[in-house]
Amino acid sequence: MTPARPASDVGSGGSAGPRRRVLSVGELMSGLNGLLEDSVGRVWVSGEISGLKRPSSGHLYFTLKDDVGQIRAALFRSAAGRIPFTLEDGLEVVLYADVQIYEARGDLQLIVRQVEPRGRGALQLAFEQLKQRLAAEGLFETARKRALPAHPRRIGVVTSITGAALRDVIQVSGRRSPATPILIAPTRVQGDGAEHEIAAALRAVASQPDVDVVLLVRGGGSLEDLWCFNTEVVARAIAACPVPVLAGVGHETDFTIADLVADERAPTPSAAALQALPDRMSLSRNLERDWRRLGNALQRQLQRLRHALNREREALRMLSPAARLASQRRRMVSAHRALRAAMRLQRERHRARLARLAAQLDGLSPLAVLGRGYALVRRERDGVIVRGADQVVVGESIHVRLALAGLRARVTDREALGD
């Protein structure tokens, strides 16, 4: 077959001019792409992302620019899925891309194969972006975090079954609290897709009965080795876990997104086991102390109850008929004694008064007057006391009372005495 002859222009005047090759637009674009592929190939290009678009296809389209110029770029879904961080407008990046011409528009463009953040590592940028996004949602807030149970019934452990972290947890458990059962949810803790296995293990172990706390542990490693603990999948699985999660990932200097979202963080797997498990020696000491306190409290309470019982018994005894009768009897005896004492006192008072009155009466008695030499004269006939001579007649019988004797006499004469 003879190849098609390219179109030729006809010179002026109808004469045949020099033969020229005329290319179609498609041929030109194809030739330019071939030239770019041969002469330029894949290159590293730095610049700032601008006008980023995210259609539903999963491809990314943006413009890479600097102070001098700009060029369109396309990042297809297969390559975009391998980038650990999120592209955003204003981000300074370094692209590894093919330089091509987009034939439909005749635009020069970059077909991006790799993307790195300029001036910092891709994983570090991805860490910072996810940290900012989750912090804005409140996943790191202290208010949403739960306290670890003081005495867990059962502990779940999410880690590699062959790793040193599990051995550390088991050793600490044997020393600290061998009676606390441990439920292990084995999972990969490194490599592509490990984050999905970790999330599934968290959900599985937390759904088991009596699991009060989950330990998410792993030994130390590089940022790449620990990267599955810096993923959104693991972060949201921790936040959604129905029981508290204690993260002990890497060494003390390692810090992951999982540590920030977890309810508690431990610097190492061994430290995580120490935080989650109760100390049996401390519990034993506390038990002995509390037992002593309980015994002392019971003794004090028993003593108080004994005193109260004695008081009630005494009160009951005092209220019994026999006690009341004895009380009344004692009161009667006391009253009788008081009455007798009062009577003696009253008698003595009366005796003294009588003596005083007798003395007074004796002083006023006619006998006392008679004792001083006076006499009491009565008429015989009627016993009337004779106070004057005119009360008797001569020859009348009278009775004369002396102090110690009496006389019978007859009036022989009357004599009136002057003043």
Side-chain angles (χ1 to χ4, degrees), residues 33 99 145 197 254 290 327 348:
N33 276 329
V99 182
K145 298 190 177 186
E197 294 185 19
D254 297 318
D290 294 342
S327 176
E348 292 173 358

mmCIF file of all heavy atoms in Angstrom, residues 33 99 145 197 254 290 327 348:
data_model
loop_
_atom_site.group_PDB
_atom_site.id
_atom_site.type_symbol
_atom_site.label_atom_id
_atom_site.label_comp_id
_atom_site.label_asym_id
_atom_site.label_seq_id
_atom_site.Cartn_x
_atom_site.Cartn_y
_atom_site.Cartn_z
ATOM 1 N N ASN A 33 4.502 15.500 21.617
ATOM 2 C CA ASN A 33 4.552 14.609 22.775
ATOM 3 C C ASN A 33 5.726 13.647 22.682
ATOM 4 O O ASN A 33 6.409 13.350 23.668
ATOM 5 C CB ASN A 33 3.247 13.836 22.928
ATOM 6 C CG ASN A 33 2.185 14.625 23.673
ATOM 7 O OD1 ASN A 33 2.513 15.438 24.537
ATOM 8 N ND2 ASN A 33 0.925 14.407 23.334
ATOM 9 N N VAL A 99 5.979 15.139 31.233
ATOM 10 C CA VAL A 99 5.568 16.374 30.578
ATOM 11 C C VAL A 99 4.894 16.002 29.262
ATOM 12 O O VAL A 99 5.508 15.350 28.398
ATOM 13 C CB VAL A 99 6.776 17.306 30.329
ATOM 14 C CG1 VAL A 99 6.310 18.615 29.697
ATOM 15 C CG2 VAL A 99 7.521 17.556 31.621
ATOM 16 N N LYS A 145 -12.819 11.949 77.061
ATOM 17 C CA LYS A 145 -12.032 10.775 77.428
ATOM 18 C C LYS A 145 -12.518 10.189 78.747
ATOM 19 O O LYS A 145 -12.963 10.894 79.632
ATOM 20 C CB LYS A 145 -10.552 11.150 77.509
ATOM 21 C CG LYS A 145 -10.023 11.626 76.157
ATOM 22 C CD LYS A 145 -8.528 11.766 76.138
ATOM 23 C CE LYS A 145 -8.051 12.170 74.742
ATOM 24 N NZ LYS A 145 -6.586 12.190 74.644
ATOM 25 N N GLU A 197 -6.884 -3.844 59.848
ATOM 26 C CA GLU A 197 -6.882 -4.994 60.759
ATOM 27 C C GLU A 197 -6.932 -4.521 62.220
ATOM 28 O O GLU A 197 -7.608 -5.122 63.057
ATOM 29 C CB GLU A 197 -5.634 -5.842 60.514
ATOM 30 C CG GLU A 197 -5.599 -6.511 59.142
ATOM 31 C CD GLU A 197 -4.399 -7.423 59.002
ATOM 32 O OE1 GLU A 197 -3.817 -7.808 60.043
ATOM 33 O OE2 GLU A 197 -4.047 -7.754 57.853
ATOM 34 N N ASP A 254 8.178 8.296 71.016
ATOM 35 C CA ASP A 254 7.234 8.164 69.904
ATOM 36 C C ASP A 254 5.883 8.738 70.307
ATOM 37 O O ASP A 254 5.407 8.522 71.425
ATOM 38 C CB ASP A 254 7.081 6.688 69.499
ATOM 39 C CG ASP A 254 8.389 6.097 68.998
ATOM 40 O OD1 ASP A 254 9.090 6.807 68.251
ATOM 41 O OD2 ASP A 254 8.703 4.955 69.361
ATOM 42 N N ASP A 290 -7.278 -1.714 105.337
ATOM 43 C CA ASP A 290 -8.729 -1.561 105.454
ATOM 44 C C ASP A 290 -9.321 -2.575 106.424
ATOM 45 O O ASP A 290 -10.306 -2.280 107.111
ATOM 46 C CB ASP A 290 -9.381 -1.698 104.077
ATOM 47 C CG ASP A 290 -8.999 -0.573 103.135
ATOM 48 O OD1 ASP A 290 -8.534 0.466 103.625
ATOM 49 O OD2 ASP A 290 -9.158 -0.735 101.912
ATOM 50 N N SER A 327 -37.640 2.253 144.361
ATOM 51 C CA SER A 327 -37.399 3.688 144.384
ATOM 52 C C SER A 327 -38.362 4.383 145.346
ATOM 53 O O SER A 327 -37.958 5.254 146.129
ATOM 54 C CB SER A 327 -37.539 4.268 142.979
ATOM 55 O OG SER A 327 -37.393 5.668 142.980
ATOM 56 N N GLU A 348 -37.598 19.547 169.781
ATOM 57 C CA GLU A 348 -36.590 20.306 170.513
ATOM 58 C C GLU A 348 -36.930 21.786 170.526
ATOM 59 O O GLU A 348 -36.741 22.473 171.553
ATOM 60 C CB GLU A 348 -35.218 20.077 169.887
ATOM 61 C CG GLU A 348 -34.695 18.641 170.080
ATOM 62 C CD GLU A 348 -33.416 18.396 169.310
ATOM 63 O OE1 GLU A 348 -32.971 19.345 168.604
ATOM 64 O OE2 GLU A 348 -32.878 17.283 169.397
#
